[in-house]
Amino acid sequence: MNEMSACQELTRKDFESNQDVRWCPGCGDYALLEQVKRLLPGLGIPRANFAFISGIGCSSRFPYYLETYGLHGIHGRAPAIASGLKLARPELSVWVVTGDGDSLAIGGNHFIHAMRRNIGLKIILLNNRIYGLTKGQCSPTSEFGKSTKSTPMGNIDRPFSPVSVALGAGAGFVARTIDNDLQHLRQTLKRAAEHPGTAFVEVRQNCVVFNDGANDPINDKDTRNDVRMLLEHGKPLRFGVDGNRGVRIRGFEPEIVTLGENGVTEADLAVHDETSAHGGLAFCLSQFAAPLPLPLGVFRAVEAMPYETLNAGLAEEARRKRGKGTLEQLLSGGHTWNVN
Amino acid sequence: MNKQIPKQDCMPAATVRRVEELDRAIVRFAGDSGDGMQLTGDAFAKIIASGGYDFATRPDYPSEIRAPTGTLFGVSGYQIQFSSHEVFTSGDAPDVLVAMNPAALKTNLADVKRGGAIIVNSSAFTDGNLSKAGYQSNPLEDASLTDYRVYRVDISGLTVRALESLGLPPKEAGRCKNYYALGLVLCLYGRPLDAEEQRIRAKFAGKARIAEANVTALRAGYAYAEACEMFVTTYVVRPGNIKPGVYRSLTGNQAAALGFVTASELAGVPLFLGSYPITPATDILHELAALRHYNVKTFQAEDEIAGICSAIGAAYGGVLGVTSTSGPGMALKTEALGLTAMLELPLVIINVQRAGPSTGLPTKVEQSDLLQAVYGRNGECPVPVIAASSPADCFDCAIEAFRIATKYMTPVILLSDGGIGNAAEPWRIPDLADMAPFEIAFRTDPEGFLPYARDANLARAWVRPGTPGMEHRLGGLEKDFLTGDISHNPLNHQRMVEVRAAKVAGIAREIPPLAISGPREGDLLVVGWGGTYGPIVQACKQAEGAGKSVAHLHLRYLNPLPGDLEETLSRYRKVLVPELNLGQLSRLLRERFLRDVVVLSKVQGKSFTQAEIYDRIMELC
């Protein structure tokens, strides 16, 4: 059986592991698991060539529930483990599943360096804005002032925007989606899977036990379009239940405008550009906070030579210059002398 | 020293020159960090090597890159002992000290052999430099050096003058003074210049003027010493009784890097180094980064943790993963090391130990990470530990570490130290035909595959991702004894803890019988480990010469300890354990065998001198 036929025959079912899924009923992580199972068979990659790497936290149990190669590592270190695997075996499709504490608190260093290196990892961050597995402490993405078990008088840490952190670290592909918009989730994951180099996706995810309802405003089908904005490359920044609102940028300041009011037309709205080299608009969008709508979609998609390709290039260059090394050359190299 | 003697005069005025034959010689170059002393020492070692001697070197430099000039803490030194016989250490007391400034003289004088030669760069003995070195009066002009033969040479001034015709700015010309000093010492030992001249020209291939300046300075130094009959006695050390073969000089860090690549080549499995720069281990990264034309990948990680984690990822991918570090970095890698033990993946962690705790003395030697290596993890987490005893031994230990790691599917800690890591010694290039084969088998058969099923060595199978039909998950959570699925079953946990311990303990079965030098039983056994091999061997030989019954055992395997160790210890009335710590191996021996031992401990950032160990031996028997 050749590789292609092996891939074509794959279905969602082939990616189901025999392990009982131990997330709380109603957890947003189920949605991601389901969409990944639906996505992987269609990528044209043999099942054995997928590897899912994780750290610690609720989301990091993910690899156990997928019938691929997987490694459940230690807290925060998944990008480092995955980087070693990808460098050693560039032909593998290596994914990292992480959480807001795992990647932005204890693993912040590995996270930013994976972004700046542009190594071919697909990093999915399940952001529930709370610590779940340790039962309800604030996380680096928890709102300022939020009362949690570790911040009974209110959180005095200001939150990170994961998208801003990723962009600031130089990531080439950065997106945000949400657990219960299945179509958006699937499409965003597909874009990430197809992007060479580091691809980062923040998934806003509901923790039913410790932070339930945190995403309600952006989920409620009746009202969500007033508080969220779907990004589309080359399209004006529009949102609103009636689709008649938009974002205009004056100088460096974004402002909400209503089409048809005060002579505002679509031509006045900022146009989304994923491919902008400097990523200034992407960063501006990543900082949007109420009353500005929360952007969902691909903030940035700029291709550059992936790290593993550059790394392989070094070996090729070394061999071109010096020839493939042999053990004999290795041992007898350098300054030698004879003793008779 | 007499005030009337003109500054440029060399002392003492020679009447009859003679050549004396020596068995061995110890030379130390000392100067400011910026004076190029490491380079000079290294060049001298290469010249000595070409002469067919055995030798050992000891670079000793401050942790500051270039401390303020003239200060005591900015002094950098390089010592070499060479001989016609076997050499085990760089030697205790230099016969010759080259001191490029007052600070170098002050910090090194106490080590110099009484009656030894001191060559000083006299023009550096200015009031300013004397005061920076804390001298109240000029030692070249008071009585403080009467026990030594002092040669005052205006090395700086003579170098500039020798290079006048080349038209270099004086400052640039002055930088060649280290080659001038080297020329002086080469004259003292009658060593030829041509090979070094060639090396200088090759090194400065694109900078002909600099090459010419250095060669000129080297020749000028030699010629000066010869022309003014600077040394009444010059020395010759006869090339020695060394096993015939082709040799090269290796530091411990170079040898370890070569050993790792050799393991990879022998096994036909690529090598991956994940590492973060840290003194004194960084050279391993440098060495391997220059070997990308082999199956070698190096990854300078964002921190120590990423260094080991990337190596774990690579090992999971089916390559030989290694991470290099020193004490503080080892502390950071601890959690990941526990993960590796749990994943049961092969990995080598080389710790080039330095003086601790914390940042400690980054460039100085100590052996104080032994207990950290053996015990320093959460949970019951045994990890095999081996230690290299000399620069060249790092090569063999690097291969051995990977052999154990892959055979038993376990992380292995290889302990080296800043002494042997940076010191060089001659290494006889081994014959490829003599090297033991190194076989690694990856499991590819999905039939009946269980990720944690074990072979006779209690090792589980190594499976490369990409192998169809064998998809499985590993992780740091406790796993079922066979399937590797998460298991919180109490009895399963006990069984897994015990089997991981039994697997590591079982390595003792294949440790070769202990090799003891000296009597098989008797009054005293000196037990050492790691980089103190040299001074212990020399001290034992000296004691033997004095008629004492003393045996020496040097341990490579520290966890598990060799099976015949307990019985071996029991054959001697006393056991002496010299260690560069407060008694860590001693503690292990007492704990494992309920056997008391005598500790000889030293924690001064320096290795033992032969005399320190010899004196203790003589007190004990």
Side-chain angles (χ1 to χ4, degrees), chain A residues 17-19 22 46-53 56 61-75 77-92 106 109-111 113-114 116-117 119 307-308 310-312 314-316 318-320 322-340, chain B residues 46-47 49-53 55 199 240 242-249 258 261-262 265-266 272 290-303 305-306 309-319 335-336 339 343 345 395 425-427 429-430 432 435 463-477 484-486 488:
Chain A
S17 86
N18 63 359
Q19 301 296 296
R22 298 189 190 187
R47 189 180 68 174
N49 280 16
F50 286 106
F52 277 73
I53 313 296
I56 294 294
R61 297 290 180 98
F62 193 94
Y64 289 114
Y65 308 139
L66 206 59
E67 188 59 22
T68 62
Y69 284 93
L71 198 159
H72 178 214
I74 43 178
H75 208 6
R77 320 300 173 200
I81 296 171
S83 296
L85 176 60
K86 184 69 183 172
L87 283 176
R89 301 285 307 282
E91 74 276 20
L92 298 178
I106 194 166
N109 199 28
H110 312 302
F111 179 79
H113 286 276
R116 79 162 167 114
R117 285 194 188 103
I119 186 164
Y307 189 81
E308 66 275 16
L310 291 168
N311 192 51
L314 296 180
E316 273 169 34
R319 282 172 200 164
R320 195 170 58 243
R322 303 170 70 181
K324 168 85 180 78
T326 66
L327 185 52
E328 196 167 8
Q329 288 166 351
L330 174 77
L331 300 181
S332 58
H335 168 66
T336 62
W337 65 92
N338 274 297
V339 174
N340 302 313
Chain B
K46 284 200 172 83
I47 296 163
S50 308
Y53 301 101
F55 66 88
R199 276 193 289 272
I242 296 170
K243 192 175 174 187
V246 182
Y247 283 78
R248 66 188 286 192
S249 168
L258 278 192
V261 182
T262 300
E265 289 288 313
L266 289 174
F272 177 95
L291 294 174
R292 284 182 182 267
H293 55 307
Y294 291 87
N295 271 325
V296 175
K297 284 177 180 159
T298 60
F299 177 60
Q300 182 178 326
E302 56 271 23
D303 59 26
I305 297 171
C309 285
S310 60
I312 292 170
Y316 179 57
V319 310
E335 186 195 13
L339 174 68
L343 300 175
L345 282 172
F395 177 81
E425 68 179 1
W427 180 64
I429 297 171
L432 291 186
M435 302 193 95
V463 179
R464 296 169 82 242
T467 312
M470 299 181 79
E471 291 87 348
H472 64 282
R473 273 65 55 194
L474 301 177
L477 284 166
D485 295 339
I486 299 172
H488 287 80

Side-chain angles (χ1 to χ4, degrees), chain B residues 13 37 43 100 148 195 210 235-236 240-241 248 272 287 289 314 321 341 350 424 464 503 508 543 554 560 566 584:
Chain B
M37 291 298 97
M100 299 299 280
Y148 308 91
I210 307 278
Y235 302 102
V236 57
N241 317 312
R248 66 188 286 192
F272 177 95
E287 292 291 328
I350 178 167
R464 296 169 82 242
K503 178 175 83 166
H554 215 74
E566 183 171 19
Q584 300 195 4

Side-chain angles (χ1 to χ4, degrees), chain B residues 109-127:
Chain B
L109 183 63
D111 295 338
V112 180
K113 190 180 284 174
R114 293 280 144 148
I118 299 175
I119 300 170
V120 295
N121 178 17
S122 58
S123 51
F125 282 67
T126 60
D127 290 346

Side-chain angles (χ1 to χ4, degrees), chain A residues 83-222:
Chain A
S83 296
L85 176 60
K86 184 69 183 172
L87 283 176
R89 301 285 307 282
E91 74 276 20
L92 298 178
S93 175
V94 183
W95 295 64
V96 170
V97 182
T98 180
D100 38 320
D102 192 55
S103 63
L104 295 175
I106 194 166
N109 199 28
H110 312 302
F111 179 79
I112 59 173
H113 286 276
M115 297 299 149
R116 79 162 167 114
R117 285 194 188 103
N118 191 37
I119 186 164
L121 305 177
K122 313 303 153 205
I123 301 180
I124 306 173
L125 188 161
L126 285 152
N127 181 13
N128 57 15
R129 310 181 78 184
I130 196 79
Y131 278 49
L133 205 55
T134 51
K135 301 194 169 73
Q137 301 77 29
C138 65
S139 92
T141 57
S142 297
E143 303 88 317
F144 185 83
K146 188 180 182 71
S147 173
T148 71
K149 282 187 186 164
S150 58
T151 57
M153 297 170 71
N155 179 23
I156 56 169
D157 282 359
R158 288 180 303 142
F160 265 149
S161 155
V163 170
S164 293
V165 176
L167 288 167
F173 182 94
V174 181
R176 180 192 286 142
T177 181
I178 186 160
D179 56 3
N180 77 344
D181 189 339
L182 301 181
Q183 199 186 350
H184 193 265
L185 175 58
R186 185 160 63 240
Q187 280 166 358
T188 309
L189 291 175
K190 189 161 189 298
R191 288 278 313 270
E194 288 163 355
H195 183 85
T198 310
F200 170 67
V201 180
E202 175 196 356
V203 181
R204 284 294 180 100
Q205 170 244 333
N206 190 40
C207 173
V208 287
V209 177
F210 296 106
N211 205 15
D212 195 22
N215 293 327
D216 282 355
I218 46 174
N219 278 332
D220 184 331
K221 285 208 167 75
D222 294 334

